[in-house]
Amino acid sequence: MMSEKKFTILDFERKKKSGEKITVLTAYDYPMARLIDSSGIDVILVGDSVGMVVLGYDSTVSVTMDEMIHHSKAVRKGTHNAFLIGDMPFMSYQAEDDDAVRNAGRFVKEAGCDAVKIEGGCEMTSRIKAIIDAGIPVLGHIGLTPQSATKLGGFKVQGKDSESASRLENDALCLEKAGCFALVLECVPKELARRITEKLRIPTIGIGAGPCCDGQVLVTYDVVGYFDKFVPKFVKKYADISKDILEAVKSFKQETESGAFPGQEHSFE
């Protein structure tokens, strides 16, 4: 039975200790947020993936703070029980601590988010501490970090050799020490994800990181088959609504042209 209790920051630690998996999906608008929230999903992330799956950008780096706030405000209106996290877009936090705190504050004050997510490892320690000191919880994100995919050589699995694996383990420990309440591991080998998960007191949320993480996150548009431009290997499609939408639109076009729509039941006397 679905719980109607609000998921809070304390529930991340509780689920880590109890071995219960944490469930996370993305949302970018009010109706999708309502559906996800009513399902009992623990966490909703307003991801900067909105740039690619909704706004048509080629990558996430073009997404602005104003766009993220706009979509986060809509998602907040449809979210009541899930924990809501806003994704800090490219160059909203990289330059200096003051920028990071100011922009993180916008997610909380203007959009009503419960926390923010930041990409990067040990180099982001100062930013993370500054945001947390301002009273805003931070979700870390290491492995494949899409905002810096060019530096990483593209959208590739990270930590495949001993040197890079050791660096990711060190990054994970740095982020835990900095005060992150949880950590996203994206596109890392499952054995490395298992080692990191076992070392940390805070929970890990995997995406393309195998089954041993403390939770899983996916882009909802991938899960339901709404975004079909490309589908990453780690995605499992639970539906294919793009085909249903296409068929519905074609039927509307055909019935309108033939005069079958609108019928008597769709008209007023």
Side-chain angles (χ1 to χ4, degrees):
M1 183 177 178
M2 186 192 77
S3 171
E4 294 189 2
K5 182 182 177 183
K6 167 73 176 175
F7 196 90
T8 73
I9 196 81
L10 299 177
D11 290 310
F12 287 91
E13 181 180 1
R14 176 183 62 79
K15 283 206 164 189
K16 169 85 172 182
K17 289 180 177 179
S18 68
E20 298 175 74
K21 296 291 187 179
I22 300 165
T23 55
V24 188
L25 285 174
T26 63
Y28 317 109
D29 55 44
Y30 170 72
M32 186 65 81
R34 281 193 67 196
L35 287 172
I36 295 172
D37 192 62
S38 66
S39 76
I41 288 288
D42 297 324
V43 182
I44 293 179
L45 169 67
V46 187
D48 61 0
S49 49
V50 65
M52 300 176 75
V53 302
V54 175
L55 302 177
Y57 298 151
D58 291 330
S59 73
T60 63
V61 299
S62 300
V63 180
T64 67
M65 267 301 300
D66 286 344
E67 287 169 336
M68 290 303 303
I69 296 298
H70 173 81
H71 287 277
S72 297
K73 287 169 73 174
V75 171
R76 173 79 274 172
K77 289 180 173 66
T79 305
H80 302 288
N81 296 321
F83 190 84
L84 182 60
I85 302 175
D87 204 356
M88 299 277 284
F90 182 62
M91 292 311 297
S92 67
Y93 60 93
Q94 284 91 342
E96 56 184 35
D97 291 354
D98 287 347
D99 281 348
V101 172
R102 188 179 305 110
N103 287 317
R106 289 190 64 190
F107 274 106
V108 176
K109 187 172 182 177
E110 297 179 38
C113 290
D114 299 307
V116 296
K117 181 175 79 64
I118 283 183
E119 294 183 8
C122 294
E123 73 280 5
M124 286 296 135
T125 297
S126 175
R127 307 287 181 270
I128 291 167
K129 286 182 176 179
I131 294 171
I132 293 172
D133 285 346
I136 302 168
V138 176
L139 171 67
H141 182 163
I142 61 172
L144 172 58
T145 46
Q147 292 176 12
S148 53
T150 301
K151 183 179 73 173
L152 298 174
F155 290 86
K156 299 179 179 179
V157 176
Q158 303 297 305
K160 295 181 71 174
D161 60 79
S162 59
E163 182 180 350
S164 60
S166 178
R167 186 166 57 249
L168 282 177
E169 288 187 48
N170 188 50
D171 282 337
L173 293 169
C174 275
L175 296 187
E176 179 180 70
K177 187 176 180 181
C180 288
F181 65 85
L183 184 63
V184 171
L185 299 178
E186 180 167 359
C187 288
V188 300
K190 61 181 181 181
E191 178 59 24
L192 175 59
R194 183 191 64 78
R195 291 207 310 267
I196 291 174
T197 300
E198 290 178 352
K199 283 186 176 183
L200 297 182
R201 299 186 312 276
I202 61 174
T204 58
I205 312 296
I207 176 167
C212 295
C213 294
D214 298 303
Q216 296 292 326
V217 56
L218 284 176
V219 172
T220 301
Y221 281 28
D222 291 336
V223 170
V224 300
Y226 191 24
F227 182 72
D228 58 0
K229 189 175 180 180
F230 62 86
V231 179
K233 177 184 177 180
F234 53 75
V235 170
K236 179 176 180 179
K237 290 175 67 175
Y238 289 83
D240 196 358
I241 65 171
S242 61
K243 289 183 179 178
D244 294 334
I245 293 172
L246 182 59
E247 287 305 311
V249 172
K250 286 180 176 179
S251 295
F252 164 75
K253 179 178 186 295
Q254 187 274 322
E255 289 191 3
T256 299
E257 291 172 343
S258 69
F261 176 81
Q264 181 64 27
E265 67 273 28
H266 309 113
S267 304
F268 300 99
E269 295 299 337

